[in-house]
Amino acid sequence: MEDEVFDQMVLVFNTLVSWVAAGAMVFGGVVPYIPQYRDIRRTQNAEGFSTYVCLVLLVANILRILFRFGRYFETLLLWQSIIMIGTMLIMLNLCTNVRMATELNTKRRSFIATDSKDEEIRIPKRHFVDFDWTYFWSWSRFMDYVQCVLAFTLVAAYITYLLLDSTLFVETLGFLAVFSEAMLGTPQLYCNYQNKSTEGMSIKMVLMWTSGDTFKTGYFLLTQAPVQFWTCGLLQVFVDIAILFQVYYYSRYPQKPVSHTVSHTTSAKAL
């Protein structure tokens, strides 16, 4: 009798652990962006966060979903991709609104000196349909990013449909999906290098990246996921560590004066 109770307790415990691990896999990837989202919204400054991180994750997760049509993997990873795509669109919406509000306030301050009216303020509009590569991924409206993502998804889905019977194409697609995600931190790494500072970047976000990527890579190894998944997971951990080294280096050896973010007026916070 005691053995049966013990076995049931072990079964319940294993089930609970499985649920927790599944939840961590599905939602763990989006958790690091919560502190970054809150920081951007609080300071109304998106300069320290590279929106190319969103581009990398959108491409990686769209390709991963398409890869599943050619080679089956766990449904949990599919849901992880869907939730990540939604999260990146939310981040892009916030960053676009903040950036446009900042540009508007800058123009408004410059016009105050000449007693000009708000009606005279004009901000150059940059749209996806202009196909101007100079402003790629720096558009004026959130809708332009959505149009770009939809266009990429349709083209990639059509190519996948045509070449789905090719094993070489399917394996290459899977590699590109996870390799793109492995390069997630490189836009932020380059952004920090350009700014010679990590100011404006959420250190909590990077710490969560590192812990999450380490957990994810271990999960891939334990569940015998396709080799592309865990090899690129290791690469992702190395990039995270490089960003953490930047945090240490630029805080210990500042390359430029620390700027203090000035809060914008309430009208600029209509988010």
Side-chain angles (χ1 to χ4, degrees):
M1 183 68 179
E2 292 181 357
D3 290 340
E4 291 181 1
V5 173
F6 178 76
D7 289 342
Q8 288 181 348
M9 291 178 62
V10 171
L11 180 61
V12 170
F13 178 76
N14 289 338
T15 303
L16 183 62
V17 170
S18 299
W19 286 351
V20 171
M25 280 302 299
V26 173
F27 298 102
V30 306
V31 171
Y33 299 96
I34 296 176
Q36 184 67 72
Y37 182 92
R38 295 178 64 183
D39 286 349
I40 293 174
R41 189 157 187 176
R42 175 176 54 83
T43 63
Q44 291 297 292
N45 182 5
E47 182 182 352
F49 176 72
S50 174
T51 54
Y52 283 98
V53 169
C54 300
L55 173 62
V56 169
L57 277 175
L58 285 168
V59 169
N61 285 281
I62 289 169
L63 293 180
R64 185 196 283 186
I65 291 173
L66 295 176
F67 175 57
R68 194 173 190 268
F69 288 97
R71 183 171 176 183
Y72 178 83
F73 55 79
E74 281 193 281
T75 305
L76 286 177
L77 298 179
L78 175 63
W79 278 109
Q80 181 194 55
S81 293
I82 294 172
I83 292 172
M84 183 61 74
I85 289 172
T87 302
M88 290 303 101
L89 291 175
I90 292 172
M91 289 294 296
L92 278 173
N93 186 32
L94 174 66
C95 291
T96 303
N97 289 339
V98 168
R99 178 163 48 82
M100 293 308 297
T102 301
E103 290 184 17
L104 180 61
N105 285 337
T106 302
K107 288 277 187 180
R108 187 172 288 152
R109 284 195 295 268
S110 67
F111 271 74
I112 288 176
T114 57
D115 294 327
S116 300
K117 297 180 179 179
D118 286 351
E119 288 78 9
E120 298 175 1
I121 299 176
R122 295 290 184 270
I123 298 177
K125 299 295 183 181
R126 303 179 293 271
H127 301 301
F128 168 68
V129 292
D130 294 336
F131 299 110
D132 186 348
W133 289 100
T134 306
Y135 300 108
F136 176 77
W137 213 248
S138 297
W139 299 303
S140 303
R141 303 176 309 168
F142 169 66
M143 212 48 179
D144 293 297
Y145 294 94
V146 175
Q147 290 172 357
C148 179
V149 171
L150 287 176
F152 173 79
T153 303
L154 290 174
V155 171
Y158 181 68
I159 295 174
T160 302
Y161 173 75
L162 294 178
L163 301 175
L164 196 57
D165 293 332
S166 170
T167 303
L168 177 61
F169 172 79
V170 171
E171 294 300 324
T172 302
L173 183 65
F175 173 77
L176 288 176
V178 291
F179 182 74
S180 300
E181 187 173 358
M183 293 294 101
L184 161 67
T186 52
Q188 191 64 57
L189 191 73
Y190 182 68
C191 179
N192 296 339
Y193 174 76
Q194 273 194 320
N195 295 336
K196 303 299 181 186
S197 169
T198 57
E199 183 186 1
M201 180 195 74
S202 173
I203 299 175
K204 293 178 183 177
M205 177 185 72
V206 182
L207 289 172
M208 290 180 182
W209 275 357
T210 308
S211 59
D213 292 338
T214 303
F215 171 81
K216 180 174 63 178
T217 304
Y219 181 87
F220 290 155
L221 288 169
L222 291 174
T223 57
Q224 297 181 335
V227 65
Q228 300 100 318
F229 283 64
W230 62 263
T231 51
C232 290
L234 288 173
L235 178 59
Q236 202 167 352
V237 172
F238 289 139
V239 174
D240 295 340
I241 293 173
I243 297 176
L244 288 175
F245 175 76
Q246 283 184 322
V247 173
Y248 165 78
Y249 182 81
Y250 289 131
S251 61
R252 189 174 180 85
Y253 307 102
Q255 305 292 306
K256 68 176 185 178
V258 178
S259 62
H260 298 280
T261 305
V262 179
S263 299
H264 295 297
T265 58
T266 306
S267 61
K269 295 185 178 180
L271 297 176

